[in-house]
Coordinates of all heavy atoms in Angstrom, one line a residue:
M18 N -77.7 -1.1 6.3 CA -76.9 -0.8 7.4 C -76.7 0.8 7.4 O -76.4 1.4 6.3 CB -75.6 -1.6 7.4 CG -74.7 -1.2 8.6 SD -73.0 -2.0 8.4 CE -73.2 -3.3 9.5
K19 N -76.8 1.3 8.5 CA -76.7 2.8 8.6 C -75.3 3.3 8.9 O -74.5 2.6 9.5 CB -77.5 3.2 9.8 CG -77.9 4.7 9.8 CD -79.0 4.9 10.8 CE -78.5 5.6 12.0 NZ -79.4 6.0 12.9
F20 N -74.9 4.4 8.2 CA -73.5 4.9 8.3 C -73.5 5.7 9.6 O -74.3 6.6 9.8 CB -73.2 5.8 7.1 CG -71.8 6.4 7.2 CD1 -70.7 5.5 6.8 CD2 -71.6 7.7 7.5 CE1 -69.5 6.1 6.8 CE2 -70.3 8.2 7.5 CZ -69.2 7.4 7.2
H21 N -72.6 5.4 10.5 CA -72.4 6.0 11.7 C -71.1 6.9 11.8 O -70.0 6.5 11.8 CB -72.3 5.0 13.0 CG -72.5 5.5 14.3 ND1 -71.5 5.7 15.2 CD2 -73.6 6.0 14.9 CE1 -71.9 6.2 16.3 NE2 -73.2 6.4 16.1
T22 N -71.3 8.2 11.6 CA -70.3 9.2 11.4 C -69.3 9.2 12.6 O -68.1 9.1 12.3 CB -70.8 10.5 11.2 OG1 -71.8 10.6 10.1 CG2 -69.7 11.6 11.0
P23 N -69.6 9.2 13.8 CA -68.6 9.2 14.9 C -67.8 8.0 15.0 O -66.5 8.1 15.1 CB -69.5 9.3 16.2 CG -70.8 9.9 15.8 CD -71.0 9.4 14.4
S24 N -68.3 6.8 14.6 CA -67.5 5.6 14.5 C -66.4 5.6 13.4 O -65.3 5.3 13.4 CB -68.4 4.3 14.3 OG -69.2 4.1 15.4
F25 N -66.9 6.2 12.2 CA -66.0 6.4 11.2 C -64.9 7.4 11.5 O -63.7 7.1 11.2 CB -66.7 6.9 9.9 CG -65.9 7.3 8.7 CD1 -65.4 6.2 7.9 CD2 -65.5 8.5 8.4 CE1 -64.6 6.4 6.8 CE2 -64.6 8.8 7.3 CZ -64.3 7.7 6.5
I26 N -65.2 8.4 12.2 CA -64.1 9.4 12.5 C -63.2 8.9 13.5 O -62.0 9.0 13.3 CB -64.8 10.7 13.1 CG1 -65.5 11.4 12.0 CG2 -63.8 11.6 13.7 CD1 -66.4 12.6 12.4
L27 N -63.7 8.0 14.5 CA -62.8 7.3 15.4 C -61.9 6.4 14.7 O -60.7 6.3 15.0 CB -63.6 6.6 16.5 CG -64.1 7.6 17.7 CD1 -65.0 6.8 18.5 CD2 -63.0 8.2 18.4
G28 N -62.4 5.6 13.9 CA -61.6 4.6 13.1 C -60.5 5.2 12.3 O -59.3 4.8 12.2
F29 N -60.9 6.3 11.5 CA -60.0 7.0 10.7 C -58.9 7.7 11.5 O -57.8 7.6 11.2 CB -60.7 8.0 9.8 CG -59.8 8.8 8.8 CD1 -59.5 8.1 7.6 CD2 -59.5 10.1 9.1 CE1 -58.7 8.7 6.7 CE2 -58.5 10.6 8.1 CZ -58.3 10.0 6.9
G30 N -59.3 8.3 12.6 CA -58.3 8.9 13.5 C -57.3 7.9 14.1 O -56.1 8.2 14.1
S31 N -57.9 6.8 14.5 CA -56.9 5.8 15.1 C -56.0 5.3 14.0 O -54.8 5.1 14.3 CB -57.7 4.6 15.7 OG -58.4 4.0 14.7
A32 N -56.4 5.1 12.8 CA -55.5 4.7 11.7 C -54.4 5.7 11.5 O -53.3 5.4 11.2 CB -56.2 4.4 10.4
V33 N -54.8 7.0 11.5 CA -53.8 8.0 11.2 C -52.8 8.1 12.4 O -51.6 8.3 12.1 CB -54.6 9.4 11.1 CG1 -53.5 10.6 11.3 CG2 -55.3 9.6 9.8
V34 N -53.3 7.9 13.6 CA -52.3 7.8 14.7 C -51.3 6.7 14.6 O -50.1 6.9 14.9 CB -53.1 7.9 16.1 CG1 -52.2 7.6 17.2 CG2 -53.8 9.2 16.3
V35 N -51.9 5.5 14.3 CA -51.0 4.3 14.2 C -50.0 4.6 13.1 O -48.8 4.3 13.2 CB -51.8 3.1 13.9 CG1 -51.0 2.0 13.5 CG2 -52.7 2.7 15.2
M36 N -50.4 5.2 11.9 CA -49.5 5.4 10.8 C -48.5 6.4 11.2 O -47.3 6.3 10.7 CB -50.3 5.8 9.6 CG -51.2 4.8 9.0 SD -50.3 3.3 8.4 CE -49.7 3.9 6.9
G37 N -48.9 7.4 11.9 CA -47.9 8.5 12.3 C -46.8 8.0 13.4 O -45.7 8.4 13.3
T38 N -47.3 7.1 14.3 CA -46.5 6.6 15.3 C -45.7 5.3 14.9 O -44.8 4.9 15.8 CB -47.2 6.5 16.5 OG1 -48.2 5.5 16.4 CG2 -47.8 7.7 17.1
A39 N -45.9 4.9 13.7 CA -45.3 3.6 13.3 C -43.7 3.7 13.3 O -43.1 2.8 13.7 CB -45.8 3.1 12.0
R40 N -43.2 4.8 12.9 CA -41.8 5.1 12.8 C -41.2 5.1 14.2 O -40.1 4.7 14.4 CB -41.5 6.3 12.0 CG -41.8 6.2 10.6 CD -41.4 7.5 9.8 NE -42.0 7.4 8.5 CZ -42.5 8.5 7.9 NH1 -42.3 9.7 8.4 NH2 -43.1 8.4 6.8
R41 N -42.0 5.7 15.1 CA -41.5 5.9 16.5 C -41.6 4.6 17.2 O -40.8 4.3 18.2 CB -42.1 7.0 17.2 CG -41.7 8.4 16.7 CD -42.3 9.4 17.6 NE -43.6 9.6 17.1 CZ -44.6 10.2 17.7 NH1 -44.3 10.8 19.0 NH2 -45.8 10.4 17.3
L42 N -42.6 3.8 16.9 CA -42.8 2.5 17.7 C -42.0 1.4 17.1 O -41.9 0.3 17.7 CB -44.3 2.2 17.6 CG -45.2 3.1 18.4 CD1 -46.7 2.6 18.2 CD2 -44.8 3.1 19.8
K43 N -41.4 1.5 15.9 CA -40.7 0.4 15.3 C -39.6 -0.1 16.2 O -39.5 -1.3 16.4 CB -40.2 0.8 13.9 CG -39.5 -0.3 13.2 CD -39.1 0.0 11.8 CE -38.4 -1.2 11.1 NZ -37.9 -0.8 9.8
P44 N -38.7 0.6 16.8 CA -37.6 0.2 17.6 C -38.3 -0.6 18.9 O -37.6 -1.6 19.2 CB -36.9 1.5 18.1 CG -37.2 2.5 17.1 CD -38.6 2.2 16.6
A45 N -39.3 -0.1 19.4 CA -39.9 -0.8 20.5 C -40.4 -2.1 20.1 O -40.3 -3.1 20.9 CB -41.0 0.1 21.1
V46 N -41.0 -2.2 18.9 CA -41.6 -3.4 18.5 C -40.5 -4.4 18.2 O -40.6 -5.6 18.4 CB -42.5 -3.3 17.3 CG1 -42.9 -4.5 16.6 CG2 -43.8 -2.4 17.6
V47 N -39.4 -3.9 17.7 CA -38.2 -4.8 17.3 C -37.6 -5.3 18.7 O -37.3 -6.4 18.8 CB -37.1 -4.0 16.5 CG1 -35.8 -4.8 16.5 CG2 -37.7 -3.7 15.1
E48 N -37.5 -4.5 19.6 CA -37.0 -4.8 20.9 C -37.9 -5.9 21.7 O -37.4 -7.0 22.2 CB -36.8 -3.7 21.9 CG -35.6 -2.8 21.6 CD -34.3 -3.6 21.7 OE1 -34.1 -4.4 22.8 OE2 -33.4 -3.5 20.9
I49 N -39.2 -5.7 21.6 CA -40.1 -6.6 22.1 C -40.0 -8.0 21.4 O -40.0 -9.1 22.0 CB -41.6 -6.1 22.1 CG1 -41.6 -5.0 23.2 CG2 -42.6 -7.2 22.4 CD1 -42.9 -4.2 23.1
G50 N -39.9 -7.9 20.1 CA -39.8 -9.1 19.3 C -38.5 -9.9 19.6 O -38.5 -11.1 19.7
A51 N -37.4 -9.2 19.8 CA -36.1 -9.8 20.1 C -36.2 -10.4 21.5 O -35.6 -11.5 21.7 CB -35.0 -8.7 20.1
L52 N -36.8 -9.7 22.4 CA -37.0 -10.3 23.8 C -37.8 -11.6 23.6 O -37.5 -12.6 24.4 CB -37.6 -9.3 24.7 CG -37.8 -9.7 26.1 CD1 -36.6 -10.1 26.7 CD2 -38.5 -8.7 26.9
G53 N -38.8 -11.5 23.0 CA -39.7 -12.8 22.8 C -38.9 -13.9 22.2 O -39.0 -15.0 22.6
L54 N -38.1 -13.6 21.2 CA -37.3 -14.6 20.6 C -36.3 -15.3 21.5 O -36.1 -16.5 21.6 CB -36.5 -14.1 19.3 CG -35.7 -15.1 18.5 CD1 -36.6 -16.2 17.9 CD2 -35.0 -14.4 17.4
H55 N -35.6 -14.3 22.3 CA -34.7 -14.8 23.4 C -35.3 -15.7 24.4 O -34.8 -16.7 24.8 CB -34.1 -13.6 24.0 CG -33.1 -13.9 25.0 ND1 -31.9 -14.5 24.8 CD2 -33.1 -13.8 26.4 CE1 -31.2 -14.8 26.0 NE2 -32.0 -14.2 26.9
L56 N -36.6 -15.3 24.8 CA -37.2 -16.1 25.8 C -37.6 -17.4 25.2 O -37.6 -18.4 25.9 CB -38.5 -15.3 26.3 CG -38.2 -14.2 27.2 CD1 -39.4 -13.4 27.6 CD2 -37.4 -14.6 28.5
A57 N -38.1 -17.4 24.0 CA -38.5 -18.8 23.3 C -37.3 -19.7 23.2 O -37.4 -20.9 23.5 CB -39.0 -18.5 21.9
R58 N -36.0 -19.1 22.9 CA -34.9 -20.0 22.8 C -34.4 -20.5 24.3 O -34.0 -21.6 24.4 CB -33.7 -19.2 22.3 CG -33.9 -19.0 20.7 CD -32.7 -18.3 20.1 NE -32.9 -18.1 18.7 CZ -32.3 -17.3 17.9 NH1 -31.4 -16.5 18.4 NH2 -32.5 -17.2 16.6
L59 N -34.7 -19.7 25.2 CA -34.4 -20.1 26.7 C -35.3 -21.2 27.0 O -34.8 -22.2 27.6 CB -34.4 -18.9 27.6 CG -33.3 -18.0 27.7 CD1 -33.6 -16.8 28.6 CD2 -32.0 -18.6 28.1
G60 N -36.5 -21.0 26.7 CA -37.6 -22.1 26.9 C -37.3 -23.4 26.3 O -37.3 -24.4 26.9
R61 N -36.9 -23.2 25.1 CA -36.4 -24.5 24.3 C -35.3 -25.2 24.9 O -35.2 -26.3 25.0 CB -36.2 -24.1 22.9 CG -36.0 -25.4 22.0 CD -35.7 -25.0 20.5 NE -36.6 -24.1 19.9 CZ -36.2 -23.2 19.1 NH1 -35.0 -23.1 18.6 NH2 -37.0 -22.3 18.5
A62 N -34.3 -24.4 25.3 CA -33.2 -24.9 26.0 C -33.5 -25.7 27.3 O -32.9 -26.8 27.6 CB -32.1 -23.9 26.4
V63 N -34.4 -25.1 28.1 CA -34.9 -25.8 29.3 C -35.5 -27.1 29.0 O -35.3 -28.1 29.6 CB -35.7 -24.7 30.1 CG1 -36.5 -25.5 31.3 CG2 -34.9 -23.7 30.7
V64 N -36.4 -27.1 28.0 CA -37.2 -28.2 27.7 C -36.2 -29.3 27.1 O -36.3 -30.5 27.5 CB -38.3 -27.9 26.6 CG1 -38.7 -29.2 25.9 CG2 -39.3 -27.1 27.2
E65 N -35.2 -28.9 26.4 CA -34.2 -29.9 25.8 C -33.4 -30.6 27.0 O -33.2 -31.7 27.0 CB -33.3 -29.1 24.9 CG -32.5 -30.0 24.0 CD -33.3 -30.9 23.1 OE1 -34.5 -30.5 22.7 OE2 -32.9 -32.1 22.8
R66 N -33.0 -29.7 28.0 CA -32.3 -30.2 29.2 C -33.2 -31.2 29.9 O -32.6 -32.3 30.3 CB -31.9 -29.1 30.1 CG -30.5 -28.9 30.3 CD -30.0 -27.8 31.1 NE -29.8 -26.6 30.3 CZ -30.4 -25.4 30.6 NH1 -31.1 -25.3 31.8 NH2 -30.2 -24.4 29.9
Q67 N -34.4 -30.9 30.2 CA -35.3 -31.8 30.9 C -35.6 -33.1 30.0 O -35.6 -34.2 30.6 CB -36.6 -31.1 31.2 CG -36.5 -30.0 32.2 CD -35.9 -30.5 33.5 OE1 -36.2 -31.6 34.0 NE2 -35.1 -29.7 34.0
R68 N -35.6 -33.0 28.7 CA -35.8 -34.2 27.9 C -34.5 -35.1 28.0 O -34.7 -36.3 28.1 CB -36.1 -33.8 26.5 CG -36.4 -34.9 25.6 CD -36.5 -34.5 24.1 NE -35.4 -34.0 23.5 CZ -34.3 -34.8 23.0 NH1 -34.4 -36.1 23.1 NH2 -33.3 -34.3 22.6
E69 N -33.3 -34.5 28.0 CA -32.1 -35.3 28.1 C -32.1 -35.9 29.5 O -31.7 -37.1 29.6 CB -31.0 -34.4 27.9 CG -29.6 -35.1 27.9 CD -28.5 -34.1 27.6 OE1 -28.7 -33.2 26.9 OE2 -27.3 -34.6 27.9
H70 N -32.5 -35.2 30.5 CA -32.6 -35.8 31.9 C -33.5 -37.0 31.9 O -33.1 -38.1 32.5 CB -32.9 -34.7 32.9 CG -33.0 -35.2 34.3 ND1 -32.0 -35.7 35.0 CD2 -34.1 -35.5 35.1 CE1 -32.3 -36.0 36.2 NE2 -33.6 -36.0 36.3
A71 N -34.7 -36.9 31.3 CA -35.6 -38.0 31.3 C -35.0 -39.2 30.5 O -35.3 -40.3 30.8 CB -36.9 -37.5 30.6
E72 N -34.3 -38.9 29.3 CA -33.8 -39.9 28.5 C -32.7 -40.8 29.4 O -32.6 -42.0 29.3 CB -33.1 -39.5 27.3 CG -34.2 -39.1 26.2 CD -33.5 -38.4 25.1 OE1 -32.3 -38.2 25.0 OE2 -34.2 -38.2 24.1
D73 N -31.9 -39.9 30.2 CA -30.9 -40.6 31.0 C -31.5 -41.4 32.1 O -31.0 -42.6 32.4 CB -30.0 -39.5 31.8 CG -29.0 -38.8 30.7 OD1 -28.9 -39.3 29.6 OD2 -28.6 -37.7 31.1
L74 N -32.6 -41.0 32.7 CA -33.3 -41.6 33.7 C -33.9 -43.0 33.1 O -33.8 -44.0 33.7 CB -34.4 -40.8 34.3 CG -35.2 -41.4 35.5 CD1 -34.3 -41.7 36.6 CD2 -36.3 -40.6 35.9
W75 N -34.5 -42.9 31.9 CA -35.0 -44.0 31.3 C -33.9 -45.0 30.9 O -34.2 -46.3 31.1 CB -35.8 -43.6 30.1 CG -36.5 -44.8 29.4 CD1 -36.2 -45.4 28.3 CD2 -37.7 -45.4 29.9 NE1 -37.0 -46.5 28.1 CE2 -38.0 -46.5 29.0 CE3 -38.4 -45.3 31.0 CZ2 -39.1 -47.4 29.3 CZ3 -39.5 -46.1 31.3 CH2 -39.8 -47.1 30.3
A76 N -32.8 -44.6 30.6 CA -31.6 -45.5 30.2 C -31.2 -46.3 31.6 O -30.9 -47.4 31.5 CB -30.5 -44.8 29.7
E77 N -31.2 -45.6 32.6 CA -30.9 -46.2 34.0 C -32.0 -47.3 34.3 O -31.6 -48.3 34.8 CB -30.7 -45.2 35.0 CG -29.5 -44.4 34.9 CD -29.4 -43.3 36.0 OE1 -30.0 -43.6 37.1 OE2 -28.8 -42.3 35.8
V78 N -33.3 -46.9 34.1 CA -34.3 -47.8 34.4 C -34.1 -49.1 33.5 O -34.3 -50.2 34.0 CB -35.7 -47.2 34.1 CG1 -36.8 -48.2 34.1 CG2 -35.9 -46.2 35.2
E79 N -33.9 -48.9 32.3 CA -33.7 -50.1 31.3 C -32.5 -50.9 31.8 O -32.5 -52.1 31.7 CB -33.6 -49.7 29.9 CG -34.8 -49.1 29.3 CD -34.6 -48.8 27.8 OE1 -33.5 -48.3 27.4 OE2 -35.6 -48.7 27.1
E80 N -31.3 -50.3 32.2 CA -30.2 -51.0 32.6 C -30.5 -51.8 33.9 O -30.1 -52.9 34.0 CB -29.0 -50.1 32.8 CG -27.8 -50.7 33.3 CD -27.2 -51.7 32.2 OE1 -27.4 -51.4 31.1 OE2 -26.5 -52.6 32.7
R81 N -31.3 -51.3 34.8 CA -31.6 -52.0 36.0 C -32.5 -53.2 35.6 O -32.4 -54.2 36.2 CB -32.3 -51.0 37.0 CG -32.7 -51.6 38.3 CD -31.6 -52.0 39.1 NE -32.1 -52.4 40.4 CZ -31.4 -53.4 41.1 NH1 -30.3 -53.8 40.7 NH2 -31.9 -53.8 42.2
A82 N -33.5 -52.9 34.8 CA -34.3 -54.0 34.4 C -33.6 -55.2 33.7 O -33.8 -56.3 34.0 CB -35.5 -53.5 33.4
R83 N -32.6 -54.7 32.9 CA -31.8 -55.8 32.2 C -31.0 -56.6 33.2 O -30.9 -57.8 33.2 CB -30.9 -55.2 31.2 CG -30.2 -56.0 30.4 CD -29.3 -55.4 29.3 NE -30.1 -54.4 28.5 CZ -29.8 -53.1 28.5 NH1 -28.8 -52.5 29.3 NH2 -30.5 -52.3 27.7
H84 N -30.5 -55.9 34.2 CA -29.7 -56.5 35.3 C -30.6 -57.4 36.1 O -30.1 -58.6 36.4 CB -29.1 -55.4 36.2 CG -28.4 -56.0 37.4 ND1 -27.2 -56.7 37.3 CD2 -28.7 -56.1 38.7 CE1 -26.8 -57.0 38.5 NE2 -27.8 -56.7 39.4
L85 N -31.7 -57.0 36.5 CA -32.7 -57.9 37.2 C -33.1 -59.0 36.4 O -33.3 -60.2 37.0 CB -33.9 -57.1 37.6 CG -33.6 -56.0 38.8 CD1 -34.9 -55.3 39.0 CD2 -33.1 -56.7 40.0
R86 N -33.2 -59.0 35.1 CA -33.6 -60.1 34.3 C -32.4 -61.1 34.2 O -32.6 -62.3 34.1 CB -33.9 -59.6 32.9 CG -35.1 -60.2 32.3 CD -35.4 -59.6 31.0 NE -34.6 -58.4 30.8 CZ -34.5 -57.6 29.8 NH1 -35.3 -57.9 28.7 NH2 -33.8 -56.5 29.7
E87 N -31.2 -60.7 34.2 CA -30.0 -61.6 34.1 C -29.6 -62.2 35.3 O -29.0 -63.2 35.4 CB -28.9 -60.8 33.5 CG -29.1 -60.3 32.1 CD -27.9 -59.5 31.5 OE1 -27.0 -59.1 32.3 OE2 -28.0 -59.1 30.4
V88 N -29.9 -61.7 36.5 CA -29.5 -62.3 37.8 C -30.1 -63.7 37.9 O -29.3 -64.6 38.3 CB -30.0 -61.3 38.9 CG1 -29.8 -62.1 40.3 CG2 -29.0 -60.1 38.9
P89 N -31.3 -63.9 37.7 CA -31.8 -65.3 37.9 C -31.1 -66.3 36.8 O -30.8 -67.4 37.2 CB -33.3 -65.3 37.6 CG -33.7 -63.9 37.9 CD -32.5 -63.1 37.5
R90 N -30.9 -65.9 35.7 CA -30.1 -66.7 34.7 C -28.7 -67.1 35.2 O -28.3 -68.2 35.1 CB -30.0 -65.9 33.4 CG -31.3 -65.8 32.6 CD -31.0 -65.0 31.4 NE -32.3 -64.6 30.7 CZ -32.4 -63.8 29.7 NH1 -31.3 -63.1 29.3 NH2 -33.5 -63.5 29.3
R91 N -28.0 -66.1 35.8 CA -26.7 -66.4 36.4 C -26.8 -67.5 37.5 O -26.0 -68.3 37.6 CB -26.0 -65.1 36.8 CG -25.5 -64.3 35.7 CD -24.6 -63.3 36.3 NE -25.2 -62.0 35.7 CZ -25.2 -60.8 36.3 NH1 -25.1 -60.7 37.5 NH2 -25.7 -59.8 35.6
R92 N -27.8 -67.3 38.3 CA -28.0 -68.2 39.4 C -28.3 -69.7 38.9 O -27.7 -70.6 39.4 CB -29.1 -67.8 40.4 CG -28.7 -66.6 41.2 CD -29.8 -66.2 42.2 NE -29.6 -65.0 42.9 CZ -30.4 -64.1 43.3 NH1 -31.8 -64.5 43.2 NH2 -30.1 -63.1 44.0
R93 N -29.1 -69.7 37.9 CA -29.5 -71.0 37.4 C -28.3 -71.6 36.6 O -28.1 -72.7 36.7 CB -30.7 -70.9 36.4 CG -32.0 -70.7 37.1 CD -33.1 -70.8 36.1 NE -32.8 -69.8 34.9 CZ -33.8 -68.9 34.6 NH1 -34.9 -68.9 35.2 NH2 -33.5 -68.1 33.7
A94 N -27.6 -70.8 35.9 CA -26.4 -71.3 35.2 C -25.4 -71.9 36.1 O -24.8 -72.9 35.9 CB -25.9 -70.2 34.2
G95 N -25.2 -71.2 37.2 CA -24.2 -71.7 38.2 C -24.6 -72.8 39.0 O -23.8 -73.5 39.6
A96 N -25.9 -73.1 39.0 CA -26.5 -74.1 40.0 C -26.5 -75.5 39.4 O -26.6 -76.5 40.1 CB -27.9 -73.6 40.4
T97 N -26.3 -75.6 38.1 CA -26.4 -77.0 37.5 C -25.1 -77.1 36.7 O -24.4 -76.2 36.3 CB -27.6 -77.2 36.6 OG1 -27.5 -76.2 35.6 CG2 -28.8 -77.0 37.4
T98 N -24.9 -78.4 36.3 CA -23.6 -78.8 35.6 C -23.9 -78.7 34.1 O -23.0 -78.7 33.2 CB -23.2 -80.1 35.9 OG1 -24.2 -81.1 35.5 CG2 -22.7 -80.2 37.3
G99 N -25.1 -78.6 33.6 CA -25.4 -78.6 32.2 C -26.2 -79.8 31.9 O -27.0 -79.9 31.0
N100 N -26.2 -80.9 32.6 CA -26.9 -82.1 32.5 C -28.1 -82.1 33.4 O -28.8 -83.1 33.5 CB -26.1 -83.3 32.6 CG -25.5 -83.4 34.0 OD1 -25.8 -82.6 34.8 ND2 -24.8 -84.5 34.2
G101 N -28.4 -81.1 34.2 CA -29.5 -80.9 35.0 C -29.2 -81.2 36.5 O -30.1 -81.1 37.2
K102 N -27.9 -81.8 36.7 CA -27.7 -82.3 38.1 C -27.2 -81.0 38.9 O -26.4 -80.2 38.4 CB -26.7 -83.4 38.1 CG -27.2 -84.7 37.5 CD -26.3 -85.8 37.6 CE -26.9 -87.0 37.0 NZ -26.0 -88.2 37.1
H103 N -27.6 -81.0 40.1 CA -27.2 -79.9 41.0 C -25.8 -80.0 41.4 O -25.3 -81.0 41.8 CB -28.1 -79.9 42.2 CG -27.8 -78.8 43.2 ND1 -28.1 -77.5 42.9 CD2 -27.3 -78.9 44.4 CE1 -27.7 -76.7 43.9 NE2 -27.2 -77.5 44.8
V104 N -25.1 -78.9 41.4 CA -23.7 -78.8 41.8 C -23.7 -78.2 43.2 O -24.1 -77.0 43.3 CB -22.9 -78.0 40.9 CG1 -21.4 -77.9 41.5 CG2 -22.8 -78.7 39.5
P105 N -23.3 -78.8 44.3 CA -23.4 -78.2 45.6 C -22.4 -77.0 45.6 O -21.4 -77.0 45.0 CB -23.0 -79.3 46.5 CG -22.3 -80.3 45.7 CD -22.8 -80.2 44.4
S106 N -22.8 -76.0 46.4 CA -21.9 -74.9 46.6 C -20.7 -75.2 47.5 O -20.8 -76.3 48.2 CB -22.7 -73.6 47.1 OG -23.1 -73.9 48.3
A107 N -19.8 -74.4 47.6 CA -18.6 -74.6 48.5 C -19.0 -74.8 50.0 O -18.5 -75.6 50.7 CB -17.6 -73.4 48.3
A108 N -20.0 -73.9 50.4 CA -20.4 -74.0 51.9 C -21.2 -75.3 52.0 O -20.9 -75.9 53.1 CB -21.4 -72.9 52.1
N109 N -21.9 -75.8 51.1 CA -22.7 -77.1 51.3 C -21.7 -78.3 51.2 O -21.8 -79.2 51.9 CB -23.7 -77.3 50.3 CG -24.9 -76.3 50.5 OD1 -25.1 -75.8 51.5 ND2 -25.7 -76.1 49.4
A110 N -20.7 -78.1 50.3 CA -19.7 -79.3 50.2 C -18.8 -79.4 51.5 O -18.7 -80.5 51.9 CB -18.8 -79.0 49.0
Q111 N -18.5 -78.3 52.1 CA -17.7 -78.4 53.4 C -18.5 -78.9 54.5 O -18.1 -79.7 55.2 CB -17.2 -77.0 53.7 CG -16.0 -76.6 52.8 CD -15.6 -75.2 53.1 OE1 -16.2 -74.5 53.9 NE2 -14.6 -74.7 52.3
A112 N -19.8 -78.5 54.5 CA -20.6 -79.0 55.6 C -21.0 -80.4 55.5 O -21.0 -81.2 56.5 CB -22.0 -78.1 55.7
G113 N -21.2 -80.9 54.2 CA -21.4 -82.3 54.0 C -20.1 -83.2 54.2 O -20.3 -84.3 54.7
S114 N -18.9 -82.7 54.0 CA -17.8 -83.5 54.1 C -17.5 -83.6 55.6 O -16.9 -84.7 56.0 CB -16.5 -82.9 53.4 OG -16.3 -81.6 54.0
S115 N -17.7 -82.7 56.4 CA -17.4 -82.8 57.9 C -18.5 -83.8 58.5 O -18.1 -84.4 59.6 CB -17.5 -81.4 58.5 OG -18.8 -80.9 58.5
A116 N -19.6 -84.0 58.0 CA -20.5 -84.9 58.6 C -20.2 -86.3 58.3 O -20.5 -87.2 59.1 CB -21.9 -84.6 58.1
H117 N -19.5 -86.7 57.3 CA -19.1 -88.0 56.8 C -18.0 -88.5 57.7 O -17.1 -88.4 58.0 CB -18.7 -88.1 55.4 CG -19.9 -87.9 54.6 ND1 -20.8 -88.9 54.4 CD2 -20.4 -86.9 53.8 CE1 -21.8 -88.5 53.5 NE2 -21.5 -87.3 53.1

């Protein structure tokens, strides 16, 4: 591999510039890092809020599904006496008694 003098001089010069300006750039780098950390925390808070909203929504869905599952059980439980015979409702009993 051939040694390329202009590339070496450019690389060495850029290293010297970076080392010389490191003290002046440090406050800017710290500020940019602090801003990045603040934005990351804000983003995490937004994600956490949305996750909590999704969990609340899922709990409502489960509650509704549980309610829909129990409604037919309540109708069946109220419709029979326990021995399997049908118990007429109040509306049917009144309509049947007036016909007799």
